Amino acid sequence: MSLHLMDFFEIRNGLVSKEFRAREIVSYFLKRIEDHNDQINAVVTINENALRQADQLDLRLARGERLGPLAGVPFVIKDIFCTEGLRTTACSKMLHNFVPHYTATAVHRLISAGALVLGKSSCDEFAMGSSNETSCFGICRNPWDLSRVPGGSSGGSASAIAAGIALGSLGTDTGGSIRQPAHFCGLVGMKPTYGRVSRFGMIAYASSLDQGGPMTKRVHDSALTLETIAGFDSSDSTTSKQSVPRWSASISSDLRSTKVGILKEFFEDLDPETAETIEIAKKVLQEAGAQFVEVSLPLVKKTIPIYYIVATSEASSNLARYDGIRFGFRAQGADELNIEDFYIRNRTLGFGSEVRRRIMLGTFALSSGYYNAYYEKACRLRRLLQEQFRELFCRCEFVLAPVSPTAAFQIGQKIQDPLEMYQNDLFTTVSNLVGLPAITVPVKLNQYGLPLGVQLIGPHFEEKRLFDGGFAIEEKIQFYKSRPNGF
Amino acid sequence: MASEIFEPIIGLEIHAQLLTESKIFCSCSAQFGGGDNENICPVCMGMPGTLPVLNEKVVEFAVKTGIALNCTICKDSLFARKNYFYPDLPKGYQISQYDRPLCSDGCVEFFVDDELKRVRVTRAHLEEDAGKSIHDASSSLVNLNRSGVPLLEIVSAPELKSPREASEYAKEVRRILRYTHVCDGNLEEGSLRCDCNVSVRRKGESTLGTKVEIKNLNSFRFIEKALNYEIERQIDCLTHGRKIIQETRLYDSEKNRTESMRSKEEAQDYRYFPDPDLLCISIDDDQIGAQRKTIPELPSQRIVRWRSQFDLSHMDAALLADERDRGDYFQETVNRCGNPKAAANWIMVEVMGKLNDEKKDLKDLKFAPSLLGELIQLIDSKRISGRIAKDIFKKMWETGESPTQIMEKFQLNQLTDDTQIREMIQRVLFAHPTEIEEYRRGKIKVLGFFVGRIMKESKGLADPQMVQKILMEQLDEGTKGTCE
């Protein structure tokens, strides 16, 4: 029985029809983690209670209780989400010993729906990165090619699913951190509308951009997961009170009368491989009935600087709480220092270089004398982008776009050059800046056997259009049938 | 003299702790006290991944205060982060307000002696309190009970002209806060804190001099003393050709002097920016209207009205208006008896005196102000004498019974029946022929003796004025008689 090839529906069905028990599911996947995690380093903490939680699920089933929509589905959770009693580190030395006594709302809802949490997945330190090379637990690898990165920052999540050591994951996306790893690992990655998913318990990187979302192999599973975790949360004032549709029950690949925008600026100087991927997706969408309109929005070329100013500014403040006083890392000998040096020692040794770089960039951008030139200007342009996208979506239902300039790159290839690394976010940051939902759907493997996907970007709260468009692609291409060798 | 050449300009920042049950961004108790780190949760501890959620009650209280300070209420004000590192600031930033405060452009009217003054309030904004650091020789400890307690920072324009004016302004703000029940104004427990900005300039100049901030003054007396010291220090600097440094100074009450804490060069860059975790505080006209209805007549308005309407002296009016419940008590007493002067006297002398002796509070009183009014009415309508009134008052104090009830129960009605009084006088005179003789020989003092005896005969109930009048008549008649 190959549980790791099943979708969520098949898992739940098998469980409810007593084909297998939840305990078997957990044992099966824990075994796969044991067998494969050494190769990819995707899971950083195993949930020691997973078997016990499975037993509880089995008990409820035996009692004839109705199980939730995600019953039995094994998840790994990006180590950015706080999990009560289970170490949560943001993959930073700063939080190497941090065990929260509260659970993130999204994770709580996932578990309430019957999902089984196998453990925590790796990511870039504090979700800052595009390659999962900055994790304090070491680099995570891409199962499609172990010499390459799985993408980031939710690289561990993507790698784990691609390797079949979990079926789903919750990732977070601040500038592409769900969609780009999904693209690198051949998965469906959904970044919902800002405000759809509660950020409570999600360790903040950039609060106005961060959004949690599902990473799965199938579009339907993505919809099912999102409708489970989405919705207003009284612990997060920025969550929306918009009702959450049952997307999974209404997915349709019929795209007749759907207008798909082709954003001109995204197609300049495109890598041939990426262009070809887009062409395939275009063809599939066209077959499903979609029409294309060219749209233009010159300002999207400026999204990288806008993004890095906003994100680092917020990060510089969000990460101020890591001072070694109440929790987390305290450097040896720090207690002997005066308070100023105590902070400096803890924060210099507790944070990795990329995190320190972003804190410094953000601190600079917010400094008196520079605020207007950087942060305020970025916010102004951000508002302009929001207005322009509102107009743009009067002309089309969603936008078809690349996810990333290339397929997965080599480990070490970009880590020494932050600006080169930041360019990876060229096509993804704009949806965070505007708060738009966007999905990555896998399309093909390139000549080296590396996955390539496309991105669909929709207007606020119109995730349905993205699930429909994504499903049209999935139904035709059935990428989920492809598997990396050796997994 | 230097003080004739220079003038001080003072502005105050008053931090008022709002009296909500829970903290501003979490549901922990905001009450003073509690064991160390007892009223804390992941949110006010700044634990990773936690988020602030605004306590609506805090906004209500702040809007109410804003209206009482005659401010414009911003309908979409913003929270901002004030970034700085300190061990008792768990998030590494304080959630405050910066360029869009909840309340702005208000004013406060207050009295300095009997002169009404007005000072503009630039802004009043919401913020969370930090925790408390406790240092000893070898270590420092942090108590986060206060972290996240709601504060309203009320900033005056630099318009106060003297230390006395500054402290009277601060007292008035405290009174307004207490009148509106948004803050208990307890300086010792830190629920009201005050920073002063002060500069001096040559009279006639229109630009402000270099300002110095004096932090954490925890009594009105210290506000005055610290400012007096600081103004003299600054004038001394200027007359000796030294420059005043823009800095923050601390007041040492034992040495009665201010000492430099940090200069502007060392001042922090707080890197304010809008807090992305919180939405703007949206307030509509209905909410403002609802809060406006809850604003009582404010102390300075009361003083003005009582002075003109009731002809009270400024001192009396100010003393009665000092606390809202005292003022309410007075007003209700007047409403019943229609005699403000008597009401003022009774409250200031009898009620407050006795409360003071027994270390009690107005709310501990067993009788309502209407009953005190009734008592005054009984006097005014001559049904009881002032002396009996004091006896009745004592009984009211003990039992809370109405004065009329007490009067009837103990038959304390004033005796005003002419015949009865004449009979009593006759009896007393008859029993004391010697004293009558003395009186007739010109020993007027004996009159008092007779009055005493007659009052005693009447168990104190006879109307003393009547007694006096009839007694004189009878004694004088008697004199005439013997002459015959």
Side-chain angles (χ1 to χ4, degrees):
Chain A
M1 209 167 29
S2 302
L3 295 179
H4 66 287
L5 302 181
M6 292 184 174
D7 66 20
F8 294 6
F9 180 76
E10 290 163 337
I11 288 281
R12 187 180 187 279
N13 236 10
L15 186 70
V16 172
S17 63
K18 306 206 162 61
E19 233 176 282
F20 42 78
R21 291 179 303 141
R23 172 168 267 272
E24 288 169 80
I25 301 172
V26 169
S27 306
Y28 179 92
F29 281 96
L30 288 179
K31 177 75 171 46
R32 283 193 65 84
I33 292 175
E34 206 181 301
D35 292 346
H36 296 289
N37 197 44
D38 283 354
Q39 292 164 273
I40 53 176
N41 196 25
V43 177
V44 297
T45 307
I46 299 280
N47 178 12
E48 302 295 344
N49 288 318
L51 274 173
R52 230 183 36 187
Q53 282 153 6
D55 289 344
Q56 281 167 4
L57 200 62
D58 285 329
L59 198 68
R60 287 178 52 202
L61 191 65
R63 283 203 216 105
E65 283 177 42
R66 222 186 119 69
L67 298 186
L70 295 175
V73 180
F75 272 78
V76 287
I77 307 293
K78 184 178 184 179
D79 210 17
I80 284 288
F81 290 93
C82 289
T83 42
E84 184 181 348
L86 183 59
R87 185 179 66 164
T88 301
T89 67
C91 289
S92 177
K93 188 172 167 187
M94 187 56 98
L95 288 173
H96 69 290
N97 56 358
F98 179 62
V99 180
H101 48 283
Y102 44 92
T103 295
T105 304
V107 177
H108 182 77
R109 290 182 180 177
L110 202 69
I111 294 171
S112 299
L116 296 165
V117 173
L118 301 170
K120 307 298 286 287
S121 46
S122 184
C123 57
D124 282 296
E125 185 181 2
F126 280 101
M128 296 177 185
S130 309
S131 65
N132 213 127
E133 291 170 287
T134 67
S135 163
C136 72
F137 297 102
I139 48 172
C140 170
R141 293 167 187 274
N142 190 327
W144 294 92
D145 177 347
L146 294 174
S147 70
R148 290 175 189 268
V149 302
S153 67
S154 313
S157 296
S159 173
I161 301 169
I165 64 178
L167 291 187
S169 182
L170 290 190
T172 62
D173 190 316
T174 306
S177 283
I178 286 176
R179 292 161 288 157
Q180 184 252 26
H183 166 76
F184 280 9
C185 292
L187 305 174
V188 175
M190 170 53 128
K191 181 206 96 75
T193 308
Y194 184 81
R196 265 290 190 209
V197 176
S198 168
R199 293 182 296 114
F200 179 81
M202 242 173 72
I203 293 175
Y205 159 20
S207 312
S208 74
L209 305 165
D210 293 344
Q211 190 60 198
M215 300 172 77
T216 56
K217 272 198 235 173
R218 307 285 296 269
V219 172
H220 188 273
D221 295 343
S222 180
L224 191 64
T225 308
L226 182 58
E227 70 200 33
T228 302
I229 61 171
F232 177 74
D233 174 17
S234 59
S235 301
D236 175 1
S237 342
T238 63
T239 50
S240 162
K241 288 193 171 152
Q242 284 261 345
S243 67
V244 177
R246 292 261 335 265
W247 295 296
S248 65
S250 68
I251 289 186
S252 157
S253 56
D254 182 358
L255 298 182
R256 275 174 299 176
S257 79
T258 300
K259 282 201 280 298
V260 178
I262 299 291
L263 192 51
K264 203 179 96 194
E265 287 75 11
F266 276 176
F267 289 81
E268 292 166 6
D269 310 317
L270 216 53
D271 181 74
E273 198 171 79
T274 307
E276 194 196 321
T277 312
I278 292 281
E279 282 312 311
I280 295 171
K282 250 173 117 171
K283 198 160 152 265
V284 173
L285 292 172
Q286 202 161 25
E287 282 167 17
Q291 298 163 329
F292 295 92
V293 288
E294 194 186 76
V295 287
S296 168
L297 213 156
L299 196 54
V300 297
K301 288 181 164 177
K302 300 275 185 261
T303 53
I304 295 273
I306 300 173
Y307 169 81
Y308 275 94
I309 287 167
V310 173
T312 58
S313 295
E314 292 182 10
S316 71
S317 172
N318 282 334
L319 271 63
R321 68 188 62 194
Y322 306 106
D323 54 12
I325 288 182
R326 287 145 298 131
F327 52 79
F329 174 78
R330 187 179 291 186
Q332 236 179 357
D335 288 359
E336 315 304 320
L337 303 172
N338 69 37
I339 189 67
E340 194 85 355
D341 293 332
F342 174 89
Y343 286 137
I344 293 170
R345 175 79 64 89
N346 289 336
R347 289 168 64 81
T348 306
L349 297 178
F351 289 134
S353 61
E354 182 59 28
V355 172
R356 290 202 307 272
R357 172 172 15 253
R358 293 195 194 196
I359 290 173
M360 285 189 274
L361 279 172
T363 305
F364 175 78
L366 288 177
S367 307
S368 117
Y370 298 97
Y371 182 87
N372 292 343
Y374 293 104
Y375 186 75
E376 205 199 44
K377 194 170 185 182
C379 289
R380 215 166 52 234
L381 290 172
R382 195 178 171 185
R383 282 193 294 275
L384 203 59
L385 266 175
Q386 284 163 351
E387 281 163 33
Q388 293 180 353
F389 263 96
R390 201 172 303 133
E391 284 166 31
L392 184 146
F393 281 120
C394 295
R395 300 184 53 207
C396 60
E397 260 71 39
F398 59 81
V399 166
L400 171 67
V403 188
S404 177
T406 62
F409 48 84
Q410 292 284 338
I411 289 166
Q413 190 184 330
K414 299 188 176 179
I415 195 71
Q416 301 306 328
D417 186 349
L419 286 181
E420 169 81 12
M421 188 71 96
Y422 295 173
Q423 286 305 314
N424 248 281
D425 307 332
L426 193 59
F427 306 114
T428 44
T429 53
V430 68
S431 5
N432 301 85
L433 288 170
V434 182
L436 304 171
I439 196 169
T440 291
V441 191
V443 169
K444 62 168 283 192
L445 292 174
N446 72 5
Q447 53 176 322
Y448 307 108
L450 299 173
L452 288 162
V454 293
Q455 187 185 195
L456 313 180
I457 306 169
H460 292 113
F461 298 106
E462 294 293 346
E463 284 87 355
K464 174 165 171 52
R465 298 183 192 174
L466 308 185
F467 287 132
D468 286 352
F471 184 59
I473 295 170
E474 178 182 283
E475 196 179 45
K476 183 76 184 174
I477 295 176
Q478 303 191 353
F479 183 90
Y480 56 88
K481 290 186 172 162
S482 321
R483 284 157 54 197
N485 288 332
F487 295 91
Chain B
M1 269 303 289
S3 60
E4 282 157 18
I5 305 168
F6 294 99
E7 64 174 1
I9 300 290
I10 302 162
L12 259 52
E13 290 169 16
I14 296 176
H15 300 256
Q17 177 181 333
L18 299 177
L19 272 176
T20 53
E21 274 174 38
S22 51
K23 293 185 178 179
I24 182 167
F25 297 123
C26 62
S27 52
C28 289
S29 166
Q31 308 307 308
F32 179 78
D36 291 340
N37 290 313
E38 222 163 57
N39 299 334
I40 58 170
C41 74
V43 175
C44 56
M45 284 175 78
M47 299 296 274
T50 59
L51 296 170
V53 175
L54 179 60
N55 176 352
E56 290 297 329
K57 256 304 182 267
V58 169
V59 179
E60 273 177 35
F61 278 38
V63 168
K64 189 173 179 175
T65 316
I67 296 170
L69 298 173
N70 303 298
C71 288
T72 306
I73 307 298
C74 178
K75 289 182 178 169
D76 55 351
S77 79
L78 281 180
F79 282 108
R81 293 186 184 175
K82 180 181 183 179
N83 296 285
Y84 66 96
F85 285 100
Y86 204 71
D88 58 24
L89 189 73
K91 295 189 294 297
Y93 58 84
Q94 179 193 31
I95 304 177
S96 180
Q97 295 196 281
Y98 189 56
D99 53 6
R100 249 150 77 188
L102 186 60
C103 318
S104 57
D105 300 322
C107 69
V108 169
E109 287 192 331
F110 63 103
F111 282 95
V112 177
D113 298 324
D114 56 357
E115 193 186 342
L116 191 62
K117 306 249 178 186
R118 169 196 283 247
V119 156
R120 284 180 302 134
V121 169
T122 313
R123 57 188 278 155
H125 68 249
L126 280 171
E127 60 186 28
E128 57 178 347
D129 205 349
K132 199 175 177 162
S133 302
I134 303 134
H135 307 283
D136 68 27
S138 63
S139 65
S140 294
L141 297 167
V142 174
N143 182 351
L144 293 179
N145 281 353
R146 249 174 42 191
S147 164
V149 161
L151 300 178
L152 190 72
E153 180 175 335
I154 301 162
V155 183
S156 84
E159 290 179 351
L160 295 156
K161 302 276 168 50
S162 71
R164 174 77 199 289
E165 224 176 278
S167 80
E168 290 301 330
Y169 160 81
K171 283 182 199 165
E172 187 67 18
V173 169
R174 177 178 184 270
R175 269 193 288 268
I176 292 170
L177 294 168
R178 286 177 58 85
Y179 259 63
T180 46
H181 298 317
V182 297
C183 172
D184 63 19
N186 192 325
L187 288 135
E188 298 86 61
E189 287 175 7
S191 51
L192 199 71
R193 278 169 263 163
C194 190
D195 302 335
C196 299
N197 287 300
V198 55
S199 62
V200 298
R201 65 180 174 197
R202 275 170 205 281
K203 280 185 181 164
E205 275 178 12
S206 57
T207 51
L208 292 171
T210 307
K211 75 167 181 185
V212 165
E213 185 180 10
I214 313 172
K215 273 214 169 295
N216 268 341
L217 296 159
N218 62 2
S219 85
F220 297 117
R221 209 162 52 90
F222 291 162
I223 292 177
E224 260 186 82
K225 291 179 86 172
L227 282 169
N228 273 323
Y229 174 86
E230 181 58 26
I231 290 163
E232 261 181 53
R233 189 189 69 84
Q234 290 187 20
I235 291 175
D236 187 63
C237 271
L238 293 178
T239 46
H240 290 87
R242 290 195 303 269
K243 270 191 106 174
I244 290 162
I245 304 160
Q246 183 169 343
E247 61 182 348
T248 302
R249 297 175 75 88
L250 279 179
Y251 176 65
D252 182 332
S253 59
E254 275 169 32
K255 296 185 201 148
N256 185 31
R257 51 177 295 169
T258 63
E259 276 156 9
S260 182
M261 191 170 120
R262 58 169 181 255
S263 73
K264 197 195 172 193
E265 283 71 42
E266 300 162 53
Q268 315 239 13
D269 177 359
Y270 291 120
R271 293 173 284 122
Y272 280 101
F273 74 106
D275 191 331
D277 287 333
L278 290 157
L279 307 176
C280 80
I281 313 172
S282 40
I283 293 167
D284 59 29
D285 287 327
D286 289 349
Q287 284 167 285
I288 297 174
Q291 287 308 319
R292 195 177 293 282
K293 279 193 202 133
T294 68
I295 308 282
E297 185 182 30
L298 295 177
S300 62
Q301 298 166 335
R302 270 188 168 167
I303 295 172
V304 169
R305 183 169 63 83
W306 289 344
R307 274 166 56 173
S308 68
Q309 189 185 339
F310 295 161
D311 198 28
L312 293 189
S313 72
H314 177 78
M315 281 256 291
D316 289 357
L319 182 67
L320 288 166
D322 191 45
E323 291 286 350
R324 179 176 171 183
D325 54 357
R326 189 187 301 161
D328 289 350
Y329 206 92
F330 167 70
Q331 183 65 54
E332 281 168 49
T333 307
V334 175
N335 290 351
R336 174 63 192 254
C337 70
N339 185 345
K341 290 250 164 93
N345 273 328
W346 272 92
I347 291 171
M348 290 188 301
V349 180
E350 302 299 329
V351 178
M352 283 167 61
K354 213 159 156 63
L355 286 175
N356 239 347
D357 292 345
E358 299 183 11
K359 301 208 174 355
K360 278 186 179 162
D361 218 52
L362 209 49
K363 64 177 187 297
D364 302 322
L365 271 194
K366 288 193 174 137
F367 53 90
S370 59
L371 292 185
L372 183 62
E374 194 178 304
L375 183 68
I376 295 167
Q377 263 184 327
L378 290 177
I379 307 166
D380 288 350
S381 62
K382 296 201 178 300
R383 294 183 64 197
I384 55 173
S385 66
R387 212 189 61 71
I388 290 295
K390 286 187 184 170
D391 292 343
I392 293 180
F393 179 79
K394 259 184 219 155
K395 292 203 165 64
M396 287 167 71
W397 191 275
E398 284 153 17
T399 65
E401 272 179 296
S402 91
T404 312
Q405 262 175 357
I406 297 170
M407 178 182 79
E408 280 163 2
K409 192 158 130 195
F410 296 94
Q411 297 182 326
L412 298 173
N413 314 37
Q414 183 151 275
L415 192 59
T416 49
D417 184 279
D418 193 76
T419 326
Q420 270 181 292
I421 291 178
R422 277 175 199 282
E423 279 172 17
M424 276 189 283
I425 293 175
Q426 284 297 334
R427 277 201 297 277
V428 171
L429 290 179
F430 186 76
H432 297 91
T434 338
E435 283 79 4
I436 296 177
E437 275 309 309
E438 283 174 15
Y439 177 78
R440 286 181 183 159
R441 282 201 301 272
K443 199 168 172 192
I444 309 290
K445 262 187 178 173
V446 190
L447 209 54
F449 165 79
F450 282 124
V451 172
R453 285 297 161 122
I454 296 160
M455 288 310 286
K456 199 177 168 193
E457 178 80 16
S458 75
K459 299 195 178 68
L461 298 176
D463 178 346
Q465 282 172 354
M466 279 179 78
V467 168
Q468 184 92 13
K469 189 167 149 264
I470 298 169
L471 178 67
M472 296 281 283
E473 267 172 36
Q474 301 222 336
L475 282 174
D476 291 348
E477 263 171 32
T479 314
K480 280 178 215 154
T482 30
C483 284
E484 277 168 5

